[in-house]
Amino acid sequence: MNDVAHDEHRRQLLREMLRIRRFEEKSAELYTQEKIRGFMHLYVGEEAVAVGTLQALDADDAVVSTYREHGHALVRGIPARAVMAEMYGRQEGCSRGRGGSMHIFDAATRFCGGNAIVGGGLPLAVGLALADKLQGRARVSACLFGDGAVAEGEFHESLNLAALWKLPVLFLCENNFYAMGTALARAQSQPDLHLKAASYALGAEVVDGMDVLAVEAATRRAAQAVRGGGGPYFLELRTYRFSAHSMFDAQLYRDKAEVEDWRRRDPIVLFERQLRAAGVLDDATLARMEAEIAAEIAAAVAFAEAGSWEPVEDLTRFVYSEGPAP
Amino acid sequence: MSTVTTTYREAIREAIREALRRDPRVFLMGEDVGAYGGCFAVSKGLLDEFGPERIRDTPLSESAFVGAGIGAALGGMRPIVEIMTVNFSLLALDQILNNAATLLHMSGGQFNVPLVIRMTTGGGRQLAAQHSHSLEGWYAHIPGLRVLAPATLEDARGMLWSALEDPDPVLIFEHALLYNQAGTLPADAGAVDIRRARVRRPGRDVSLITYGGSLPKTLEAAGRLAAEGIDAEVIDLRSLRPLDDATILASVAATRRAVIVDEGWRSGSLAAEISARIMENAFYELDAPVARVCSAEVPMPYARHLEQAALPQADTVIRVARGLVRGDG
């Protein structure tokens, strides 16, 4: 990449992180207005992970995600309006309003769902990768999950199976140090999660998840190894969620000082400062970025507001397929 | 028409072999399906014929390999996943319910899961309380699944291919006592319809409604009832979800009496569901209350006399059916 392209790429990384941040801020506002209901989990603070990791994927790779997946969905290329309409429960939403915030699906980008069973997505990623291996396709199945999943049996079964069969799975552990309200140190005998993963004989490393360039670089290396037939790879991406676990969380389990410490490492603030210092970003560029993002989000909200409800007569559609197997 | 002598076990093996030959997307995966030849010897010899890529031994990780089957189905394959027994399938229940049965609806129709899961079910082999239960009724509770119970050689041979052609997840329950069932099949036996129940024995006096491992016992009961002058009709459900209401109701409308024979526990059972449907749809056709013969509500014991006491038996079916017909049960 030449310098100009490199600068543009870095601005693009910042833009994507900002896009997630503003989308989440708007989502919180809409939640308090009761436009969005159910459980909603915000990604504020963790933006560098989604933006950095998903750069490394190709269009025909697969993504398996969690219930905290708005950021993943946006970076993966699902239109913001389809995500917003989904959270409104509209049939124009990417899952026709059947899934809501926790279950964003999009076949076009091979986004195989926000899974709201902690650890439940890992075996799916293993199977997607097995299908690719059996069919001789050099695709990667990326699986995002949190530190909480590492305590689940499915984590251990899946890493073992993927390593045993040398499957092209990219395990991306978003370690935000809390499984809802349970601090990592209160749940894990070995809180260095990459060490736990490494015991399954696969490549495993820890990455500063607040540094988007570090995340991108590590994920590109890992994805290349996976795509080249080297078997699965595990990245522990250390990050922090600045917002509550969900919209019902009073955050009694963590100190305000700890949150403030992490906020000083805000991935967007840090990266913006870095780009300014490098002379790659100025006020006008940032203002233009913010304006474009605001317009995109406003359009997404308008789209969701103007959306329609799926007819109740369609309630039982897609319990089973409507046609024969493809 | 030429016929072949075979067993239930061999018929399933032949069905798997045919599927592997016909469709390169098909593979078999599970615990000890390869080198060991299958816990119940169903897949014996297939590893040599098809190789370890398609006859895939897994670690003892039910959740991961069932979930991997779901993922592989999403990725364009047609996996056959074998779980040793239905009791072990509970370790994969999260994947079966929260993913396989759910993804299509929750994704608004975008992600269907063309997966077949085979597992053994049922008691009678003195394997005690963690290898002997009949939990297929639980799975039949779940929308998004198709649940099959082959009870005959023809169905053992023919249901698998039909299940593989289904775009959605299909569970096939093989009763452990049926594997040695022997008989003949047409040499060209193949896929069967998986939507309808079958009348295995026509009769006028009482409908005995059953499936799977209870079918031989129920047919035996019907034979002995005939000797006392009671003409029992035997319905083999074959598909536990969806249920073929039309066949059940047509039979009950003609005989006006029904006994449901179900190896599951009585409370909240498949038998309870069928009974409710008969009550809802054929109440005024009935000459007697619907009766049920189910397993005793205990964990399945090891000792043979206790296990036999816990399971539905032909004697019980006869006593209950006689009571409905003659009012002297």
Side-chain angles (χ1 to χ4, degrees):
Chain A
M1 205 183 295
N2 64 35
D3 286 352
V4 175
H6 183 55
D7 292 348
E8 180 51 36
H9 178 66
R10 283 191 287 173
R11 280 190 294 268
Q12 187 60 23
L13 295 178
L14 178 68
R15 189 183 190 287
E16 284 293 276
M17 289 198 290
L18 271 172
R19 196 169 157 249
I20 297 173
R21 179 72 54 94
R22 300 293 174 252
F23 186 91
E24 295 294 62
E25 289 165 352
K26 175 55 82 174
S27 298
E29 184 187 321
L30 293 165
Y31 196 89
T32 60
Q33 294 170 21
E34 302 191 351
K35 299 283 191 182
I36 300 171
R37 308 303 302 264
F39 281 150
M40 185 174 78
H41 309 84
L42 299 180
Y43 200 62
V44 175
E46 305 186 29
E47 294 90 343
V49 174
V51 173
T53 56
L54 297 184
Q55 302 302 316
L57 298 190
D58 292 344
D60 62 350
D61 291 337
V63 179
V64 177
S65 183
T66 68
Y67 52 87
R68 193 184 304 285
E69 87 283 43
H70 308 166
H72 308 152
L74 293 174
V75 178
R76 185 59 182 161
I78 306 177
R81 62 184 200 166
V83 178
M84 188 59 80
E86 184 58 34
M87 293 200 286
Y88 267 64
R90 303 293 200 190
Q91 64 176 336
E92 292 80 7
C94 51
S95 310
R96 297 176 72 92
R98 269 103 177 277
S101 165
M102 296 191 286
H103 303 300
I104 291 168
F105 285 85
D106 182 52
T109 56
R110 298 198 73 219
F111 196 85
C112 302
N115 200 306
I117 306 296
V118 173
L122 280 92
L124 298 187
V126 171
L128 286 160
L130 175 59
D132 286 334
K133 183 165 187 179
L134 289 172
Q135 293 173 98
R137 293 183 300 232
R139 305 198 297 200
V140 171
S141 293
C143 187
L144 293 137
F145 53 92
D147 49 291
V150 176
E152 297 282 0
E154 287 181 322
F155 169 85
H156 300 275
E157 293 187 6
S158 297
L159 261 67
N160 179 57
L161 204 54
L164 183 72
W165 291 349
K166 296 217 177 330
L167 300 179
V169 188
L170 186 52
F171 292 105
L172 302 170
C173 177
E174 302 183 299
N175 179 6
N176 67 15
F177 295 92
Y178 287 90
M180 201 161 102
T182 302
L184 187 66
R186 291 202 291 125
Q188 287 293 343
S189 60
Q190 171 51 275
D192 285 320
L193 302 179
H194 61 287
L195 297 181
K196 210 160 239 190
S199 75
Y200 290 104
L202 44 72
E205 56 187 283
V206 61
V207 184
D208 177 1
M210 304 307 258
D211 178 346
V212 69
L213 292 179
V215 172
E216 183 187 5
T219 316
R220 282 195 189 280
R221 279 197 312 274
Q224 195 176 5
V226 169
R227 206 182 298 282
Y233 210 95
F234 175 95
L235 295 180
E236 176 190 348
L237 303 137
R238 290 193 177 158
T239 183
Y240 201 79
R241 73 175 148 71
F242 296 163
S243 47
H245 167 74
S246 74
M247 304 305 283
F248 295 98
D249 171 12
Q251 302 191 68
L252 303 173
Y253 51 84
R254 63 183 188 182
D255 289 340
K256 289 199 167 56
E258 180 187 290
V259 180
E260 286 314 306
D261 279 351
W262 276 95
R263 276 188 186 278
R264 278 192 279 278
R265 299 179 53 201
D266 186 317
I268 295 176
V269 172
L270 290 186
F271 195 53
E272 184 191 320
R273 203 177 290 156
Q274 198 181 328
L275 294 191
R276 283 180 187 276
V280 175
L281 184 73
D282 57 24
D283 287 345
T285 306
L286 186 60
R288 193 168 59 244
M289 244 182 228
E290 289 277 18
E292 287 166 4
I293 291 166
E296 183 193 9
I297 292 172
V301 174
F303 178 79
E305 286 283 345
S308 54
W309 306 119
E310 184 171 16
V312 171
E313 298 74 55
D314 287 355
L315 175 65
T316 58
R317 275 189 78 186
F318 307 124
V319 174
Y320 298 97
S321 294
E322 296 183 339
Chain B
M1 187 168 43
S2 69
T3 60
V4 292
T5 303
T6 187
T7 63
Y8 185 92
R9 173 184 289 107
E10 288 166 1
I12 295 171
R13 184 186 307 141
E14 197 50 39
I16 297 170
R17 181 180 281 126
E18 181 199 12
L20 287 161
R21 283 182 183 152
R22 277 174 80 166
D23 189 339
R25 300 172 302 175
V26 171
F27 66 100
L28 175 70
M29 166 164 72
E31 292 159 354
D32 278 325
V33 297
Y36 190 97
C39 180
F40 292 87
V42 169
S43 50
K44 200 172 175 192
L46 296 182
L47 176 64
D48 289 341
E49 190 172 348
F50 295 99
E53 289 287 289
R54 300 185 75 196
I55 305 296
R56 188 167 279 269
D57 277 323
T58 67
L60 278 62
S61 304
E62 284 82 1
S63 197
F65 71 71
V66 170
I70 297 166
L74 293 173
M77 301 299 287
R78 291 289 181 276
I80 305 169
V81 172
E82 176 178 312
I83 302 176
M84 272 191 194
T85 83
V86 66
N87 282 78
F88 303 175
S89 78
L90 302 185
L91 293 163
L93 188 52
D94 164 51
Q95 289 297 331
I96 297 171
L97 171 56
N98 286 318
N99 284 333
T102 302
L103 289 179
L104 180 67
H105 192 264
M106 192 163 72
S107 68
Q110 294 181 83
F111 289 94
N112 66 301
V113 181
L115 168 71
V116 173
I117 304 175
R118 298 171 38 245
M119 61 184 109
T120 55
T121 186
R125 299 174 71 243
Q126 286 193 264
L127 298 179
Q130 294 179 339
H131 286 71
S132 303
H133 290 137
S134 287
L135 305 178
E136 52 276 4
W138 282 6
Y139 287 103
H141 180 65
I142 302 172
L145 301 181
R146 184 186 287 279
V147 180
L148 305 177
T152 63
L153 296 182
E154 182 193 22
D155 283 348
R157 177 68 181 83
M159 279 184 165
L160 181 71
W161 182 255
S162 305
L164 284 166
E165 285 195 307
D166 196 291
D168 301 313
V170 181
L171 272 51
I172 302 179
F173 287 90
E174 300 162 7
H175 196 288
L177 283 185
L178 294 175
Y179 283 123
N180 290 331
Q181 185 187 142
T184 57
L185 277 178
D188 62 351
V192 294
D193 173 85
I194 53 172
R195 293 165 301 168
R196 303 299 302 270
R198 289 263 169 79
V199 176
R200 296 295 182 196
R201 183 191 192 284
R204 290 164 307 177
D205 297 330
V206 58
S207 299
L208 308 179
I209 301 162
T210 191
Y211 67 91
S214 296
L215 179 65
K217 294 175 185 176
T218 306
L219 285 168
E220 180 201 332
R224 288 165 53 193
L225 282 165
E228 340 182 339
I230 294 174
D231 188 17
E233 177 149 296
V234 177
I235 307 285
D236 174 6
L237 293 169
R238 303 176 70 245
S239 170
L240 309 185
R241 184 181 188 96
L243 285 167
D244 175 9
D245 289 345
T247 298
I248 296 169
L249 294 171
S251 175
V252 173
T255 65
R256 310 180 87 84
R257 298 171 189 89
V259 180
I260 303 150
V261 186
D262 173 4
E263 202 177 307
W265 290 303
R266 176 185 301 257
S267 300
S269 60
L270 194 65
E273 174 62 29
I274 294 164
S275 172
R277 290 186 190 206
I278 294 171
M279 233 69 89
E280 287 164 349
N281 297 294
F283 184 79
Y284 296 104
E285 313 286 339
L286 292 173
D287 282 349
V290 174
R292 289 184 280 161
V293 177
C294 299
S295 282
E297 303 216 2
V298 295
M300 197 60 68
Y302 161 72
R304 180 166 169 78
H305 69 294
L306 293 177
E307 183 183 38
Q308 290 303 313
L311 289 166
Q313 302 294 351
D315 286 347
T316 323
V317 177
I318 290 166
R319 181 168 47 74
V320 170
R322 191 193 291 136
L324 287 193
V325 175
R326 298 209 177 126
D328 63 355

